[in-house]
Amino acid sequence: MAAYVGVLVSDPWLQNQFTQVELRSLKSSFATMRRESGGGLKVAELPEKMSRLKHVGENLTEHERAAFLQESYQNLDVDVDFELFLRIYLKLQALATERRGSGAKNASAFLKSPTSTLLHTISESEKASYVAHINNYLAEDGFLKKYLPIDPATNDLFELSKDGVLICKLINVAVPGTIDERAINTKRMLNPWERNENHTLCLNSAKAIGCTVVNIGTQDFIEGRRHLVLGVISQIIKIQLLADLNLKKTPQLVELVDDSKDVEELMSLPPEKILLRWMNFQLRKGGYTKTVTNFSSDVKDAEAYAHLLNVLAPEHSNPSTLTVKDHLERAKLVLEHADRMGCKRYLTPKDIVDGSPNLNLAFVAHIFQHRNGLSTQTKQISFLETLPDDLQISREERVFRFWLNSLANSSYIDNVFEDLRNGWILLETLDKVSPGIVNWKIASKPPIKMPFRKVENCNQVVKIGKELKFSLVNIAGNDIVQGNKKLILAYLWQLMRYNMLQLLKNLRFHSHGKEIIDADILQWANTKVRNSGGQSRMESFKDKSLSSGVFFLELLSAVHPTSVNWSLVTKGTSEDEKKMNATYIISIARKLGCSIFLLPEDIIEVNQKMILTLTASIMYWTLKPPVEERACGCSDSENGSLLDTSSNSTMSDTASESSLDDNSN
């Protein structure tokens, strides 16, 4: 047990932020600081003491560290234990990265930045805009309507977010059906345990729809940390507003390109880039000669908006909008035009003139949703039928994209087949999965201008895969560079599976050194169900009987007896019953703490890969050592783990070990 990281820190989320070597080094530094302070250490002492720590000490001044801690913690006289030390270190590390600008240029502007920022100020305009959105879309919700409308001038938004229900409901507005609302705890007065479950469910579900929630945990919602809560809400709303910006939802977007080659390029673009392309397409119709490249400086004078709305809704135009000289006055006339055509504002004239990127993006996205001005003629969409539309490939790409984004790599992934072609994100992921395995001396960091450098990166990706015993017959680095879909998906699946098995091995066999295989996961699940009195059995991960969902509901009930409300479970005989069970399974697993990215269809169709992922995630959650705070029902389940987040299991280390020995016989 001496080598186990759980000896150093009990919180599983924190364990997954560091390698064992890093934890031991930080433990040593922490011990030295305490010793120098006479055996105790206060928060107020950390700015000076942390100057010796790499990254935090090198990239932040003592004044910057002190200012951050003073802003983040009301009482600086609090004693620092090792876990608090690690949390402060992580947040200072993120602040240092932000100040350096590392990764910011490559990050998706609308998805990553709102939650990665550690500046503890919020935009009151953004808050007011998102409050108006919530008031509009959730006004008729049976549970929330008694609390709505929210007053944007108060902090009621953050108070209402403290029980987790609001954000769960908002996720379902953005991507309908993500959360089975039967899994949400909606009593009028929630105890700390139920509230924590809601936050765990909402954070895991936010990750599952593509939000970046690194370094955000349930405690941030419970304490109402405004910048973090608003960051998550911002991402969810923007996912909703940009949902139609793809060829599947809006095939008329094909009008923006000339041939099938351009269509494939369009399909690979992130939604905000497609929105910009659409905006410029419409502006050219109106004779506007400038190109809008962003939702900030390029729209500050409101001239582009005036032309755009004149093209889309000429019947509501005001001739003076283009002749007025004052930018603020023009912005006011633009919003009046938008009002007349029935568009929600999302911003004020001042927000336009100030170049607020989030609110301008939201405004243009809503204009697109309301009136996109594209052709409704199917003739123009004819050659879309010749493009490959493999539903399975599309679904797997989504799973791996969201999984990669949950790992907090340097760049946000919008399209797996395009964004992995230089090999860099794959190398970063490999280094997280198997620390130290990447030779960074021969790796090239983006932007990469020379094509052979991309091939070198991808050759190392393949070489490492072979070292990890991946099946890579006839796969070369150039296949990744060229965006070979099936080969990239095959590599990513093996990488995700290796990650799962390593995490389970570290928990389950850390004192035995035994490798874990798929059969161990299968046996564990069947043993759990049998020992709890369940009647189901899984013959393999492609067992067609799994489509009913009953086995996984019995498994979830076995690992957490109160998690499943059996009065809500169907027999799973018809397609509708299977769908109801599958959505319930996914939400219950996320509510417990499993970070999973599969869809209900993956259970109904018994997708072997996703079934293995689901089972392994439940197993990992069950076998983790408990968090100390769980005794009072207040675990701090921050996200960031590769497989899951918090654990509400009450199993002790000893019980875990003994059950493993029993199951492995």
Side-chain angles (χ1 to χ4, degrees):
M1 289 294 289
Y4 183 43
V5 293
V7 172
L8 299 175
V9 54
S10 61
D11 189 332
W13 177 83
L14 280 173
Q15 291 177 20
N16 284 309
Q17 303 309 303
F18 303 96
T19 65
Q20 293 189 32
V21 173
E22 289 170 334
L23 273 175
R24 295 190 186 287
S25 174
L26 288 167
K27 181 73 171 180
S28 175
S29 298
F30 176 69
T32 301
M33 292 178 194
R34 282 174 58 94
R35 194 163 53 248
E36 291 174 350
S37 299
L41 187 63
K42 306 288 186 185
V43 173
E45 298 176 82
L46 290 178
E48 185 270 324
K49 298 288 185 187
M50 282 186 153
S51 61
R52 69 192 68 177
L53 297 179
K54 188 177 179 182
H55 192 68
V56 166
E58 293 172 356
N59 296 297
L60 292 174
T61 65
E62 185 175 333
H63 174 74
E64 287 174 323
R65 293 192 295 273
F68 169 79
L69 291 178
Q70 197 163 14
E71 196 173 0
S72 303
Y73 298 92
Q74 293 180 344
N75 184 4
L76 299 181
D77 201 38
V78 171
D79 287 321
V80 180
D81 62 15
F82 186 47
E83 292 200 3
L84 177 58
F85 174 78
L86 290 177
R87 292 181 195 284
I88 291 173
Y89 174 78
L90 281 172
K91 291 185 182 288
L92 285 172
Q93 190 180 49
L95 180 63
T97 299
E98 184 194 355
R99 292 285 168 88
R100 251 193 10 251
S102 173
K105 292 180 181 177
N106 293 323
S108 169
F110 84 95
L111 279 178
K112 190 149 186 172
S113 58
T115 55
S116 58
T117 180
L118 283 169
L119 299 175
H120 290 243
T121 57
I122 65 168
S123 163
E124 289 297 328
S125 289
E126 284 195 30
K127 185 182 80 168
S129 177
Y130 301 148
V131 163
H133 181 97
I134 289 167
N135 287 340
N136 180 55
Y137 282 94
L138 290 171
E140 299 305 315
D141 181 85
F143 178 80
L144 290 174
K145 63 183 178 183
K146 56 180 172 286
Y147 303 108
L148 300 179
I150 300 169
D151 182 353
T154 68
N155 282 326
D156 288 354
L157 171 64
F158 308 110
E159 289 300 314
L160 193 53
S161 298
K162 286 184 177 181
D163 67 4
V165 177
L166 172 68
I167 298 182
C168 284
K169 299 272 190 178
L170 192 60
I171 287 171
N172 270 356
V173 169
V175 184
T178 299
I179 296 175
D180 188 324
E181 298 206 358
R182 296 174 296 175
I184 305 173
N185 298 320
T186 53
K187 292 191 310 187
R188 188 171 184 83
M189 292 295 293
L190 298 178
N191 63 42
W193 185 279
E194 292 165 330
R195 181 187 59 194
N196 188 71
E197 285 184 330
N198 279 351
H199 291 313
T200 305
L201 173 60
C202 94
L203 285 171
N204 279 321
S205 300
K207 283 201 297 185
I209 65 169
C211 295
T212 300
V213 293
V214 179
N215 289 339
I216 300 177
T218 62
Q219 198 64 27
D220 295 313
F221 288 96
I222 292 166
E223 295 177 7
R225 293 178 186 163
R226 303 191 309 159
H227 64 296
L228 295 177
V229 173
L230 201 66
V232 173
I233 290 173
S234 165
Q235 292 186 79
I236 295 167
I237 290 175
K238 284 164 191 168
I239 285 171
Q240 176 189 343
L241 292 174
L242 296 172
D244 293 339
L245 280 150
N246 60 73
L247 285 169
K248 288 183 180 177
K249 290 280 187 72
T250 313
Q252 294 82 8
L253 283 166
V254 74
E255 191 178 345
L256 305 184
V257 298
D258 297 323
D259 55 41
S260 58
K261 184 178 179 182
D262 291 335
V263 170
E264 290 193 42
E265 180 194 345
L266 186 69
M267 291 173 73
S268 70
L269 291 176
E272 73 269 32
K273 295 290 186 186
I274 296 177
L275 188 62
L276 280 171
R277 183 173 287 199
W278 166 80
M279 186 175 180
N280 285 308
F281 175 79
Q282 300 295 355
L283 287 172
R284 285 194 296 272
K285 288 183 183 178
Y288 189 72
T289 56
K290 299 176 185 176
T291 299
V292 177
T293 62
N294 59 62
F295 294 105
S296 183
S297 58
D298 286 359
V299 295
K300 278 185 175 184
D301 60 6
E303 194 174 333
Y305 284 152
H307 282 88
L308 177 66
L309 296 184
N310 282 346
V311 169
L312 297 175
E315 71 275 18
H316 298 302
S317 63
N318 181 343
S320 62
T321 306
L322 287 170
T323 58
V324 70
K325 300 298 182 184
D326 182 70
H327 292 175
L328 193 64
E329 182 62 26
R330 184 184 297 133
K332 181 181 176 183
L333 293 172
V334 161
L335 293 182
E336 288 175 358
H337 189 163
D339 285 343
R340 289 193 293 274
M341 60 186 281
C343 287
K344 295 181 181 62
R345 289 196 169 199
Y346 283 100
L347 76 179
T348 65
K350 187 175 185 300
D351 294 324
I352 293 177
V353 174
D354 288 346
S356 171
N358 281 344
L359 295 182
N360 277 297
L361 173 62
F363 179 54
V364 178
H366 185 73
I367 292 172
F368 176 86
Q369 280 190 343
H370 187 73
R371 188 180 296 194
N372 62 38
L374 297 172
S375 171
T376 56
Q377 299 298 316
T378 55
K379 180 181 177 182
Q380 298 186 22
I381 311 169
S382 59
F383 65 82
L384 268 181
E385 297 171 3
T386 65
L387 293 173
D389 184 25
D390 190 318
L391 184 63
Q392 191 60 44
I393 285 180
S394 174
R395 201 185 296 164
E396 288 192 12
E397 187 274 339
R398 173 191 177 278
V399 168
F400 295 131
R401 172 163 35 99
F402 291 164
W403 174 64
L404 288 167
N405 285 331
S406 75
L407 305 185
N409 288 313
S410 61
S411 298
Y412 188 89
I413 300 297
D414 289 297
N415 183 292
V416 161
F417 307 122
E418 291 298 318
D419 297 345
L420 298 187
R421 287 170 63 174
N422 62 26
W424 184 260
I425 295 296
L426 284 171
L427 289 173
E428 287 188 324
T429 304
L430 284 162
D431 198 53
K432 289 177 186 290
V433 169
S434 184
I437 202 167
V438 175
N439 183 354
W440 293 109
K441 292 180 180 179
I442 61 171
S444 299
K445 186 176 182 178
I448 304 173
K449 295 181 180 179
M450 304 299 290
F452 76 92
R453 296 293 186 195
K454 298 179 183 179
V455 176
E456 285 179 345
N457 279 357
C458 292
N459 281 341
Q460 187 178 181
V461 167
V462 173
K463 178 176 176 288
I464 293 171
K466 290 178 179 176
E467 289 174 16
L468 298 178
K469 296 183 171 55
F470 293 179
S471 175
L472 299 173
V473 180
N474 296 326
I475 296 181
N478 203 43
D479 292 314
I480 299 173
V481 175
Q482 292 177 355
N484 187 308
K485 293 183 179 181
K486 289 188 177 179
L487 295 182
I488 289 173
L489 290 179
Y491 190 97
L492 285 173
W493 163 242
Q494 292 181 86
L495 181 56
M496 179 189 266
R497 178 177 171 277
Y498 175 84
N499 175 226
M500 291 188 300
L501 297 182
Q502 285 300 109
L503 287 171
L504 286 167
K505 175 189 171 186
N506 290 341
L507 282 183
R508 191 174 180 190
F509 298 114
H510 55 76
S511 60
H512 307 297
K514 179 184 174 183
E515 292 294 330
I516 191 169
I517 59 175
D518 297 2
D520 293 314
I521 301 171
L522 183 71
Q523 183 183 13
W524 172 85
N526 281 323
T527 302
K528 274 291 177 187
V529 171
R530 185 179 67 248
N531 289 348
S532 67
Q535 302 300 308
S536 305
R537 178 174 174 78
M538 174 167 54
E539 296 299 331
S540 71
F541 295 114
K542 53 186 178 182
D543 185 341
K544 292 302 180 184
S545 69
L546 297 174
S547 66
S548 71
V550 173
F551 176 83
F552 285 109
L553 289 164
E554 289 191 341
L555 177 60
L556 289 166
S557 182
V559 300
H560 195 288
T562 61
S563 62
V564 177
N565 181 346
W566 286 99
S567 67
L568 303 176
V569 175
T570 73
K571 292 181 179 179
T573 51
S574 69
E575 287 302 308
D576 286 343
E577 288 183 346
K578 289 177 180 179
K579 182 76 177 284
M580 289 178 67
N581 283 354
T583 56
Y584 193 45
I585 289 163
I586 292 171
S587 292
I588 291 297
R590 287 178 180 150
K591 181 178 176 180
L592 293 182
C594 301
S595 180
I596 47 179
F597 302 94
L598 75 167
L599 294 170
E601 290 78 6
D602 292 315
I603 297 175
I604 297 167
E605 297 168 13
V606 194
N607 180 319
Q608 183 178 355
K609 295 174 183 176
M610 296 304 109
I611 294 292
L612 171 59
T613 302
L614 173 61
T615 313
S617 190
I618 296 170
M619 178 180 178
Y620 180 77
W621 174 83
T622 307
L623 300 179
K624 283 189 312 180
V627 180
E628 288 174 5
E629 301 98 296
R630 235 172 266 144
C632 67
C634 308
S635 67
D636 183 11
S637 60
E638 295 188 80
N639 286 32
S641 161
L642 308 189
L643 249 181
D644 75 329
T645 56
S646 72
S647 168
N648 294 324
S649 167
T650 55
M651 182 184 290
S652 68
D653 275 332
T654 308
S656 173
E657 283 301 307
S658 62
S659 69
L660 291 165
D661 293 337
D662 292 342
N663 291 347
S664 59
N665 288 335

